[in-house]
Amino acid sequence: MAKMEVKTSLLDNMIGVGDMVLLEPLNEETFINNLKKRFDHNEIYTYIGSVVISVNPYRSLPIYSPEKVEDYRNRNFYELSPHIFALSDEAYRSLRDQDKDQCILITGESGAGKTEASKLVMSYVAAVCGKGAEVNQVKEQLLQSNPVLEAFGNAKTVRNDNSSRFGKYMDIEFDFKGDPLGGVISNYLLEKSRVVKQPRGERNFHVFYQLLSGASEELLNKLKLERDFSRYNYLSLDSAKVNGIDDAANFRTVRNAMQIVGFMDHEIESVLEVVAAVLKLGNIEFKPESRVNGLDESKIKDKNEVKEICELTGIDQSVLERAFSFRTVEAKQEKVSTTLNVAQAYYARDALAKNLYSRLFSWLVNRINESIKAQTKVRKKVMGVLDIYGFEIFENADNSFEQFIINYCNEKLQQIFIELTLKEEQEEYIREDIEWTHIDYFNNAIICDLIENNTNGILAMLDEECLRPGAVTDETFLEKLNQVCATHQHFESRMSKCSRFLNDTSLPHSCFRIQHYAGKVLYQVEGFVDKNNDLLYRDLSQAMWKAGHTLVKSLFPEGNPAKINLKRPPTAGSQFKASVATLMKNLQTKNPNYIRCIKPNDKKAAHIFNEALVCHQIRYLGLLENVRVRRAGYAFRQAYEPCLERYKMLCKQTWPHWKGPARAGVEVLFNELEIPVEEYSFGRSKIFIRNPRTLFKLEDLRKQRLEDLATLIQKIYRGWKCRTHFLLMRKSQIVIAAWYRRYAQQKRYQQIKSSALVIQSYIRGWKARKILRELKHQKRCEEAATTIAAYWHGTQVRREYRKFFRANAGKKIYEFTIQRIVQKYFLEMKNKMPSLSPIDKNWPSRPYLFLDSTHKELKRIFHLWRCKKYRDQFTDQQKLIYEEKLEASELFKDKKALYPSSVGQPFQGAYLEINKNPKYKKLKDSIEEKIIIAEVVNKINRANGKSTSRIFLLTNNNLLLADQKSGQIKSEVPLVDVTKVSMSSQNDGFFAIHLKEGSEAASKGDFLFSSDHLIEMATKLYRTTLSQTKQKLNIEISDEFLVQFRQDKVCVKFIQGNQKNGSVPTCKRKNNRLLEVAVP
């Protein structure tokens, strides 16, 4: 039987150390080795107290199934092995049960898995919260907002194929039951510079590639786009296709997600039109042109792109062209218009593309918020999920303005992390009545002040420099930093007095270095001023506001001439600083939960753990500092009940059950184990252990004790099993013995009973045989006496009548012999009778000559009897047919050569089916009687012997002739006028119908016909005439007969001859008195 493993603590079957607070000794090397050991065993999650470290595995692991969700549901945080689900469940239960607003902060560098971690948190919360149609719709909208924001805000970088290029904070709102009501999304610092330029090996935002790959040809034509990536200057070609990413399928997913979130079809179409316009902006190119006054200006090379952009956005082409060529500066009541050279025109084009895309992204976030916001006014509980870029340090001084404010945000997050962690520790110590000891840690407030101070902060000086009149460059900004921050211990530059590298050429003149909490970062000052200004010429804003496209117009409200504001718009740095301040204020009102994401390698490959890269991330994430803060007081704490439950087997007094309070049980346990008092403290509800070695000692003792207990349990179990087996065998033996004794007694009883029955049967048999012998003897005596008396009487009678007997003996013997022979004859005939078939002519031979007449008569009687039996099976119709056949046999058998061929043919009569054929409807209507025969015959012409087709009809009273084509009746002869039918004896179908002289029908003479059904027609005519006139019709069969033709009599003579037509007879008129028929 397989051994079942049941985990009740992260300490069970632990690979490495599941909680870094328990790591001993604690240093950078052991920290990395522990992460690597767990990573190699697919344990990608590790705790630092309540903080989760997540190492990106770069592959799918079977640890996020619905079964895993149920495993971590409603479980203690330390009850199972480290997992992101444990932190998600802890946060959700604290929000639901303790009414505490929560926030989950997910940090790490690009490619570390922050986006996937935020998806896992949201999917877990969606899985464990309530069900229902409305709740499910809210959950689906919250989850489907991710694909939309990823398409527009994520891009492929050298570090990550799906890198978030913006910071996202989502507040998920719940009701009192813990069911989601809606949410609010905030976005921070979209990397809009990526729209116009991407580093080598990276892509623009996903949506551009998805649109070109997944849109239909119809949609592309509508958006005036082509599918070829190389047609667009804003799209890098070296990384246009990414392995494992199906842009076409993702485009369909994004469109579906937008519909689920609540975007209308026309809104989706408007968004895609803006995306297409941004793509086409990059294809606008300029050429220099000199004016008369010597100033340079720019002209658009190909106006076709501008035309298509104007068609997409509804802007007047001339207005947009002028905005790209001129810049208007307003000061009080004055307006000054200046031309733009080529460089300035390209700057204006890129600024417009960046602003258009970033404002579209902000509009998308606001539109999603409108759809997913809570619809009710009730009080809500809030869980925030922060997915924001991690600390960024690029080599070769590639760190610019974006990295500066990203690292500033991470400094603020580190500051609030330290503050909230220490605050949580202090609150727990006070709550548990444990003496609070001061913890020394690095406070990065001085770095935050260096950046955000309102007077001397770097951001304040950058804003001041941007607003200063006169020539403003990045170099003047660096000079100002050198003057103001020269003495700051965390600021270094080539000209600062605090720099220890004044002669170090590795520190360029155009750079400055800041000592962040995560390490030193060298920033390239080039581009700081322009990126902070984030300037979009007013002419372009006004041109966009004049667009006929509703969405484009709404993105540029400052372009409205009625709302012209001459104040300079806030800078990018000040906007981000205000956003970060709002975020920090929001986070401080919530209970924090942390997920620190780590990227194990730069190759985005599974099973590779780059220790140097991980070490770099550990340093700038401040994980060692986090561990030191967490274990500065007590490294481990646990509630009394689970502590006693886990270690009670180490003390005889607490094992197996402790009946008192749990705290008292733990005190007895620790006293019994003689653990030094300074190694632990008793709180109100928890035991606090100072050193991890003490905990590991307890674990080692527990492990040894479990082995001893396992041995004891095995021993007891084996003893119980053997005793149980013995008792079962003993019980079985008793049952078997009882059944056997019963069986043996039953068998002995059956034997005795059987023996008694045998003896009884023998005795009864002997007595019966004895009585039988006596009865037989008595009977023989009586029979003998009777026999003697009979013989005696017989002798007397024979003597008396001998003379009479001898006189009659011969006659009696003869009669007896004849009787016996006849009896034998009939018995033999019974077994030799032939079949019941009337055509069976077999009959047994005659055995004796004197029975000849009897034998013949018996044969006749039997034949008549079986014929009657055979006739009794016929229906009335069959009887009629056989009667006609019998009549035909009597009339034509051995007389007409045609007869044998007609025997096998059934008599049908109505061959023309006049009742069904519409051709003869008129003929049928004119005849009221039943039609017996309806057949086409050939009527022989009296003049020349040629034939004409006529319909021959026989009814009960008349004989009719009709025209075959028209169905008109030509002749009608009553049957009483028919006197005779003549025909030859040969194999032909000619016959003559003789009519009564003087009758009306006989005015033209007799009829001579030829038919294929002569036998049937003559038979039916004979029977019908007999039935109507009660007189037999004369049938004359002769090879010569006379026919009356009008007043003359003609002889019809049949001869044998060879025919030209084969077997068809021919009729020919020889003279006035002879009609010759040649029969083959």
Side-chain angles (χ1 to χ4, degrees):
M1 182 177 177
K3 181 179 178 181
M4 295 181 64
E5 177 183 347
V6 179
K7 284 193 174 186
T8 59
S9 170
L10 63 87
L11 297 172
D12 289 332
N13 304 301
M14 187 167 57
I15 297 172
V17 178
D19 190 344
M20 289 294 189
V21 175
L22 305 177
L23 187 63
E24 194 64 32
L26 176 63
N27 54 54
E28 199 171 77
E29 181 181 359
T30 57
F31 194 100
I32 295 173
N33 289 338
N34 187 54
L35 282 180
K36 184 176 187 303
K37 183 177 181 180
R38 293 178 61 78
F39 178 80
D40 291 340
H41 289 81
N42 296 328
E43 294 285 347
I44 63 171
Y45 296 112
T46 308
Y47 292 156
I48 300 178
S50 59
V51 178
V52 175
I53 302 174
S54 172
V55 183
N56 192 345
Y58 286 117
R59 61 193 177 99
S60 298
L61 295 176
I63 57 174
Y64 307 109
S65 62
E67 292 76 17
K68 278 289 183 183
V69 171
E70 290 302 318
D71 288 345
Y72 282 88
R73 187 173 185 174
N74 295 327
R75 302 292 285 269
N76 185 275
F77 186 74
Y78 296 101
E79 191 171 346
L80 300 175
S81 57
H83 202 289
I84 194 172
F85 286 170
L87 180 136
S88 304
D89 186 73
E90 184 76 12
Y92 177 71
R93 285 192 294 113
S94 297
L95 175 137
R96 182 191 63 192
D97 301 337
Q98 302 176 18
D99 204 18
K100 292 181 180 179
D101 288 349
Q102 303 289 316
C103 64
I104 299 176
L105 281 66
I106 307 172
T107 57
E109 72 172 51
S110 179
K114 302 186 298 298
T115 301
E116 288 302 317
S118 66
K119 290 180 185 177
L120 290 170
V121 170
M122 292 178 66
S123 64
Y124 179 85
V125 173
V128 300
C129 64
K131 307 293 186 223
E134 189 173 339
V135 173
N136 288 339
Q137 182 182 0
V138 173
K139 290 193 290 187
E140 187 67 14
Q141 287 185 333
L142 290 173
L143 293 175
Q144 291 300 325
S145 65
N146 278 325
V148 179
L149 294 179
E150 284 184 15
F152 288 86
N154 288 24
K156 188 263 181 191
T157 66
V158 293
R159 298 184 177 184
N160 185 6
D161 290 343
N162 188 32
S163 175
S164 296
R165 307 317 298 164
F166 70 103
K168 182 179 74 173
Y169 177 74
M170 174 183 281
D171 269 333
I172 308 174
E173 299 172 337
F174 298 83
D175 61 10
F176 70 96
K177 298 177 297 197
D179 294 339
L181 297 172
V184 180
I185 299 174
S186 302
N187 65 301
Y188 300 97
L189 194 64
L190 176 72
E191 187 189 10
K192 57 185 177 183
S193 60
R194 181 171 292 273
V195 174
V196 299
K197 184 179 180 182
Q198 304 91 41
R200 185 172 181 81
E202 298 189 3
R203 295 205 313 178
N204 210 323
F205 292 101
H206 291 325
V207 68
F208 296 115
Y209 304 93
Q210 292 174 359
L211 175 60
L212 296 180
S213 299
S216 63
E217 292 295 336
E218 180 184 358
L219 179 58
L220 287 178
N221 293 334
K222 188 175 182 180
L223 298 177
K224 307 184 185 307
L225 296 175
E226 298 180 27
R227 206 174 291 280
D228 186 8
F229 295 157
S230 63
R231 297 280 299 166
Y232 304 100
N233 297 331
Y234 280 166
L235 300 184
S236 60
L237 300 180
D238 55 342
S239 301
K241 296 291 184 181
V242 181
N243 293 333
I245 294 181
D246 186 349
D247 289 317
N250 289 341
F251 179 73
R252 293 189 291 271
T253 302
V254 171
R255 292 200 68 167
N256 183 57
M258 293 178 77
Q259 291 173 345
I260 293 175
V261 170
F263 284 81
M264 307 299 290
D265 289 341
H266 71 273
E267 291 178 320
I268 298 175
E269 183 177 340
S270 297
V271 169
L272 295 180
E273 288 172 346
V274 175
V275 173
V278 172
L279 263 182
K280 300 187 76 62
L281 275 172
N283 291 351
I284 298 177
E285 295 183 349
F286 302 94
K287 60 182 179 180
E289 188 173 297
S290 298
R291 301 182 68 182
V292 178
N293 57 8
L295 296 175
D296 291 336
E297 66 177 12
S298 61
K299 291 291 183 182
I300 298 173
K301 287 184 180 180
D302 183 5
K303 295 186 179 182
N304 185 54
E305 294 289 349
V306 179
K307 178 183 176 183
E308 292 182 348
I309 292 173
C310 292
E311 290 175 356
L312 284 172
T313 57
I315 302 175
D316 189 312
Q317 184 174 348
S318 61
V319 173
L320 186 59
E321 288 180 4
R322 176 175 175 79
F324 280 134
S325 302
F326 294 90
R327 178 187 178 190
T328 303
V329 179
E330 297 185 22
K332 295 184 179 180
Q333 301 299 323
E334 296 182 1
K335 289 185 180 181
V336 178
S337 180
T338 60
T339 60
L340 300 178
N341 58 30
V342 173
Q344 290 172 333
Y346 277 116
Y347 174 83
R349 179 199 70 176
D350 292 344
L352 176 60
K354 291 188 290 184
N355 272 273
L356 187 58
Y357 190 83
S358 65
R359 295 184 188 203
L360 172 65
F361 186 78
S362 299
W363 180 87
L364 281 171
V365 173
N366 294 331
R367 180 64 182 82
I368 291 173
N369 285 337
E370 289 179 12
S371 296
I372 66 175
K373 67 180 180 181
Q375 302 298 324
T376 59
K377 301 287 186 179
V378 297
R379 181 179 175 276
K380 310 175 190 70
K381 305 175 183 180
V382 178
M383 176 186 289
V385 180
L386 178 64
D387 173 10
I388 201 164
Y389 17 63
F391 201 87
E392 289 192 353
I393 304 176
F394 295 147
E395 297 179 357
N396 302 323
D398 287 337
N399 305 289
S400 186
F401 180 73
E402 289 85 1
Q403 284 68 44
F404 174 74
I405 57 177
I406 285 173
N407 294 342
Y408 161 61
C409 179
N410 278 272
E411 286 285 357
K412 295 295 291 182
L413 288 174
Q414 176 69 9
Q415 183 182 24
I416 195 172
F417 170 70
I418 296 295
E419 290 177 359
L420 292 177
T421 302
L422 290 175
K423 181 181 178 183
E424 183 184 1
E425 287 283 298
Q426 185 175 7
E427 286 178 351
E428 185 172 23
Y429 280 34
I430 294 172
R431 187 168 57 249
E432 295 293 329
D433 199 18
I434 300 294
E435 183 179 354
W436 169 257
T437 56
H438 178 71
I439 299 174
D440 292 326
Y441 66 95
F442 170 68
N443 190 342
N444 67 338
I446 187 173
I447 302 175
C448 295
D449 185 68
L450 170 65
I451 298 173
E452 67 181 4
N453 188 280
N454 290 329
T455 56
N456 298 325
I458 295 176
L459 287 176
M461 286 186 284
L462 181 59
D463 287 349
E464 183 180 335
E465 192 67 13
C466 291
L467 297 173
R468 182 174 62 82
V472 178
T473 63
D474 296 320
E475 288 73 17
T476 60
F477 167 62
L478 182 59
E479 289 176 5
K480 189 160 191 174
L481 285 183
N482 290 334
Q483 294 174 8
V484 177
C485 304
T487 58
H488 200 288
Q489 58 181 339
H490 291 277
F491 178 85
E492 297 175 1
S493 73
R494 196 174 183 89
M495 301 300 296
S496 67
K497 297 178 181 179
C498 193
S499 175
R500 288 170 288 175
F501 305 100
L502 293 177
N503 298 321
D504 189 355
T505 57
S506 65
L507 188 63
H509 288 282
S510 61
C511 297
F512 66 92
R513 182 187 288 131
I514 294 180
Q515 175 69 47
H516 288 283
Y517 78 92
K520 292 183 178 181
V521 182
L522 184 65
Y523 294 104
Q524 173 62 254
V525 78
E526 181 181 352
F528 263 62
V529 173
D530 284 343
K531 293 176 180 177
N532 187 53
N533 267 328
D534 193 20
L535 185 61
L536 178 66
Y537 297 151
R538 182 174 287 111
D539 300 77
L540 289 171
S541 297
Q542 292 176 350
M544 293 296 106
W545 187 84
K546 293 177 182 178
H549 196 283
T550 307
L551 176 57
V552 174
K553 186 172 184 176
S554 67
L555 297 179
F556 294 88
E558 75 276 12
N560 187 351
K563 298 181 180 179
I564 292 179
N565 187 357
L566 298 180
K567 286 186 178 180
R568 190 178 183 90
T571 62
S574 61
Q575 290 179 13
F576 187 74
K577 176 182 173 183
S579 299
V580 170
T582 304
L583 176 64
M584 297 302 123
K585 185 177 179 180
N586 192 356
L587 295 179
Q588 285 178 340
T589 63
K590 296 178 175 62
N591 185 50
N593 302 271
Y594 299 94
I595 301 174
R596 304 296 204 190
C597 298
I598 291 178
K599 181 170 67 173
N601 60 77
D602 279 327
K603 299 179 180 179
K604 295 178 279 192
H607 307 293
I608 298 177
F609 191 89
N610 187 327
E611 295 186 11
L613 179 63
V614 174
C615 177
H616 174 68
Q617 294 173 80
I618 289 172
R619 288 174 182 172
Y620 75 64
L621 284 174
L623 298 183
L624 279 173
E625 186 75 14
N626 189 358
V627 177
R628 292 190 180 99
V629 169
R630 188 70 170 78
R631 63 188 286 179
Y634 293 91
F636 181 78
R637 68 225 47 197
Q638 192 175 25
Y640 289 123
E641 289 78 5
C643 180
L644 181 62
E645 186 67 26
R646 184 168 182 81
Y647 300 111
K648 64 182 180 180
M649 72 286 297
L650 301 179
C651 177
K652 293 182 179 179
Q653 299 179 46
T654 57
W655 178 256
H657 299 293
W658 174 258
K659 297 183 180 180
R663 172 171 177 166
V666 174
E667 291 177 355
V668 171
L669 175 65
F670 275 56
N671 291 333
E672 179 73 19
L673 296 176
E674 297 181 353
I675 298 174
V677 178
E678 62 273 9
E679 285 295 320
Y680 63 87
S681 292
F682 292 105
R684 295 180 184 275
S685 62
K686 295 181 181 178
I687 176 73
F688 289 75
I689 299 176
R690 188 178 300 278
N691 200 307
R693 286 191 297 271
T694 304
L695 179 64
F696 293 139
K697 178 183 176 182
L698 288 173
E699 285 296 313
D700 292 340
L701 293 174
R702 179 178 180 272
K703 183 178 179 180
Q704 182 60 44
R705 181 58 177 160
L706 285 176
E707 292 177 358
D708 296 341
L709 288 174
T711 304
L712 177 62
I713 291 170
Q714 287 177 345
K715 180 182 72 174
I716 295 173
Y717 173 74
R718 291 192 186 105
W720 170 83
K721 188 175 180 181
C722 290
R723 282 194 302 276
T724 303
H725 182 67
F726 166 75
L727 292 175
L728 182 61
M729 292 289 288
R730 183 171 178 271
K731 182 179 179 181
S732 302
Q733 186 272 333
I734 294 172
V735 172
I736 292 171
W739 277 92
Y740 176 76
R741 285 194 293 270
R742 175 186 174 187
Y743 167 76
Q745 290 298 324
Q746 286 178 341
K747 188 175 181 180
R748 185 167 177 269
Y749 166 75
Q750 292 294 338
Q751 289 176 346
I752 295 173
K753 182 179 178 182
S754 178
S755 301
L757 291 175
V758 170
I759 294 171
Q760 287 177 351
S761 64
Y762 272 100
I763 293 174
R764 292 193 186 98
W766 174 76
K767 287 184 177 181
R769 285 191 294 274
K770 182 179 178 182
I771 295 172
L772 180 61
R773 282 196 300 271
E774 292 176 352
L775 291 174
K776 283 183 177 181
H777 178 72
Q778 183 179 355
K779 185 177 180 181
R780 281 198 296 270
C781 292
E782 293 176 354
E783 288 177 350
T786 303
T787 302
I788 293 170
Y791 273 96
W792 169 251
H793 290 301
T795 302
Q796 294 298 322
V797 170
R798 284 192 294 275
R799 286 177 182 175
E800 186 68 26
Y801 294 99
R802 185 171 292 151
K803 55 182 179 180
F804 302 102
F805 178 74
R806 286 179 179 175
N808 300 315
K811 184 179 178 181
K812 289 182 179 293
I813 292 171
Y814 172 77
E815 292 175 352
F816 176 79
T817 302
I818 293 299
Q819 183 181 2
R820 292 294 297 170
I821 290 173
V822 172
Q823 184 179 10
K824 181 180 179 183
Y825 166 73
F826 281 114
L827 289 175
E828 288 176 353
M829 285 295 292
K830 177 183 178 183
N831 298 326
K832 295 180 181 180
M833 295 298 287
S835 66
L836 295 179
S837 173
I839 62 175
D840 188 358
K841 296 183 179 181
N842 294 325
W843 186 251
S845 59
R846 180 194 61 197
Y848 303 104
L849 184 60
F850 74 92
L851 292 176
D852 183 58
S853 59
T854 303
H855 192 69
K856 291 179 180 179
E857 183 64 19
L858 189 61
K859 177 180 179 181
R860 188 183 68 81
I861 293 172
F862 177 76
H863 180 69
L864 293 175
W865 173 78
R866 67 183 178 183
C867 287
K868 181 180 182 305
K869 294 286 287 185
Y870 184 75
R871 287 195 304 273
D872 290 343
Q873 299 175 3
F874 295 160
T875 62
D876 293 340
Q877 184 67 25
Q878 288 175 325
K879 286 180 180 179
L880 179 61
I881 292 173
Y882 278 105
E883 286 175 0
E884 290 179 346
K885 286 289 185 180
L886 183 60
E887 195 79 55
S889 176
E890 292 176 354
L891 293 173
F892 303 109
K893 186 176 181 181
D894 298 330
K895 299 177 184 178
K896 178 72 173 171
L898 187 64
Y899 171 73
S901 62
S902 69
V903 174
Q905 298 177 357
F907 291 171
Q908 297 181 12
Y911 288 96
L912 294 184
E913 296 183 345
I914 291 178
N915 293 332
K916 298 181 180 179
N917 195 334
K919 179 179 177 181
Y920 303 118
K921 183 176 186 301
K922 183 177 179 181
L923 178 61
K924 174 182 175 297
D925 294 340
S926 63
I927 301 173
E928 297 179 355
E929 298 177 279
K930 178 183 177 182
I931 297 174
I932 299 172
I933 292 179
E935 166 67 332
V936 176
V937 299
N938 293 321
K939 180 177 177 293
I940 306 303
N941 192 308
R942 302 173 178 89
N944 54 20
K946 293 184 179 181
S947 61
T948 304
S949 296
R950 289 287 185 266
I951 299 175
F952 184 93
L953 298 174
L954 175 64
T955 65
N956 290 330
N957 295 311
N958 298 294
L959 188 152
L960 298 95
L961 292 177
D963 185 81
Q964 184 181 6
K965 294 181 179 180
S966 64
Q968 182 180 359
I969 297 175
K970 294 291 186 177
S971 301
E972 182 174 358
V973 180
L975 291 182
V976 294
D977 293 342
V978 178
T979 60
K980 183 173 66 172
V981 176
S982 299
M983 65 186 71
S984 73
S985 62
Q986 299 184 37
N987 191 17
D988 63 275
F990 285 85
F991 68 100
I993 297 178
H994 302 274
L995 304 180
K996 184 186 295 184
E997 293 183 4
S999 64
E1000 182 182 353
S1003 62
K1004 292 184 181 181
D1006 300 334
F1007 294 104
L1008 182 62
F1009 300 110
S1010 173
S1011 173
D1012 293 336
H1013 302 92
L1014 169 62
I1015 302 298
E1016 178 181 358
M1017 295 177 70
T1019 302
K1020 288 185 179 288
L1021 182 59
Y1022 177 84
R1023 288 175 58 84
T1024 306
T1025 303
L1026 178 63
S1027 174
Q1028 294 299 322
T1029 63
K1030 306 301 180 183
Q1031 294 179 359
K1032 291 184 179 181
L1033 180 65
N1034 184 17
I1035 304 294
E1036 180 185 358
I1037 300 176
S1038 174
D1039 290 343
E1040 284 187 22
F1041 52 82
L1042 294 176
V1043 179
Q1044 182 75 33
F1045 284 169
R1046 293 188 180 276
Q1047 302 302 325
D1048 301 328
K1049 288 192 177 182
V1050 179
C1051 177
V1052 181
K1053 184 177 182 181
F1054 293 84
I1055 62 172
Q1056 295 287 336
N1058 294 327
Q1059 304 299 316
K1060 295 180 181 180
N1061 297 330
S1063 60
V1064 179
T1066 60
C1067 183
K1068 188 175 182 183
R1069 183 77 177 260
K1070 288 295 185 178
N1071 52 51
N1072 292 336
R1073 299 294 179 177
L1074 178 62
L1075 190 66
E1076 192 175 80
V1077 179
V1079 182

